[in-house]
Amino acid sequence: MTAAKPMLMFIHGLMSTPLDFGDQVSALPDGLEGMAPWLRGARPGAKGESFDLVDAAADLAMTIELSGAPRTTLFGVGEGSLVALEIALSRPDLELDLVLVGPALAATAGVGMQRRFTALVPRGVLARRGLDKRRVMAALGNLADIDLWGRLPELTSRALLVVGEKDRAARTAAQAFVEQARRADVRVAEIAGAGPAPHTQRPAEVNAVLYDFVGVEPRQ
């Protein structure tokens, strides 16, 4: 039986979709298994489901277990970084590394800011991106009282925080993250010229730091 490969799991935010990771997936080398699942409760049209951080994290943790991957790197964007953190904090038995884009959303204030911004976005704009505004607003509301920031001293997973040079809030939050997560090996990669979505604004630069962190050469 062929041994399972290490896995790179891409976790989207509530204002994005798995399709936003196209630039990273296209660079995935043969030595890694890639996966970009929908978060439970975030897929448009899914009936009888609502987004819950703990449930979404448990769902992906089970996927990781069933994959048999010897090690998994979680690449989380926005609220997806919160899901990745919840997995690492609640399942320290899993062999995990974290790559978190825009770590400002690890703070409750960041979630509230995202909710206020989303309320101003026309429903049709989100629909053209395959997103349901009602579902997104409800999901952000469910995150309002989550305080993963206070649990950062428990984190032991290796982590890379990817921030855009122009995203002052994310850069400030990254420094606070490093100070809070005292037990973990946390690094910060600042992407020149990028704002709050460096993985789509500067994909080549993000791929370079991502795959260097994982320890493999990206596909050219």
Side-chain angles (χ1 to χ4, degrees):
M1 180 181 294
T2 303
K5 300 177 182 178
M7 183 164 63
L8 179 52
M9 178 182 282
F10 300 95
I11 309 177
H12 66 92
L14 295 174
M15 290 287 285
S16 61
T17 78
L19 296 177
D20 288 353
F21 297 115
D23 288 309
Q24 284 70 53
V25 172
S26 65
L28 193 77
D30 293 336
L32 280 179
E33 190 71 40
M35 180 177 290
W38 277 98
L39 289 174
R40 177 188 288 186
R43 183 194 294 271
K47 296 182 179 180
E49 287 186 358
S50 59
F51 176 80
D52 177 87
L53 178 72
V54 173
D55 288 347
D59 189 46
L60 295 186
M62 181 176 293
T63 299
I64 294 168
E65 281 189 298
L66 294 176
S67 74
R71 192 166 196 89
T72 298
T73 301
L74 303 178
F75 184 99
V77 172
E79 297 81 13
S81 70
L82 300 182
V83 175
L85 267 177
E86 173 62 29
I87 296 171
L89 289 167
S90 62
R91 293 295 308 273
D93 56 304
L94 296 176
E95 295 291 333
L96 298 176
D97 295 317
L98 305 178
V99 179
L100 308 179
V101 178
L105 276 173
T108 303
V111 175
M113 188 186 312
Q114 179 77 309
R115 196 166 193 265
R116 291 190 292 274
F117 167 77
T118 304
L120 301 175
V121 179
R123 189 178 301 274
V125 171
L126 293 179
R128 285 193 290 275
R129 299 199 66 233
L131 299 170
D132 182 323
K133 182 173 181 176
R134 178 189 57 79
R135 186 180 290 272
V136 171
M137 290 294 292
L140 288 170
N142 289 340
L143 286 172
D145 297 324
I146 299 294
D147 181 24
L148 290 179
W149 200 258
R151 295 167 58 195
L152 285 181
E154 303 169 24
L155 184 69
T156 56
S157 297
R158 195 171 65 111
L160 173 69
L161 310 181
V162 181
V163 300
E165 175 192 23
K166 299 179 180 179
D167 189 348
R168 181 180 299 177
R171 289 191 288 111
T172 300
Q175 184 56 46
F177 189 112
V178 171
E179 293 170 2
Q180 284 281 91
R182 295 180 293 273
R183 297 175 60 196
D185 174 7
V186 184
R187 311 173 197 176
V188 180
E190 186 173 306
I191 306 301
H199 63 299
T200 58
Q201 295 163 339
R202 295 289 189 273
E205 291 87 342
V206 170
N207 284 353
V209 298
L210 164 63
Y211 288 109
D212 178 68
F213 179 73
V214 175
V216 296
E217 288 288 330
R219 180 183 296 149
Q220 301 300 321

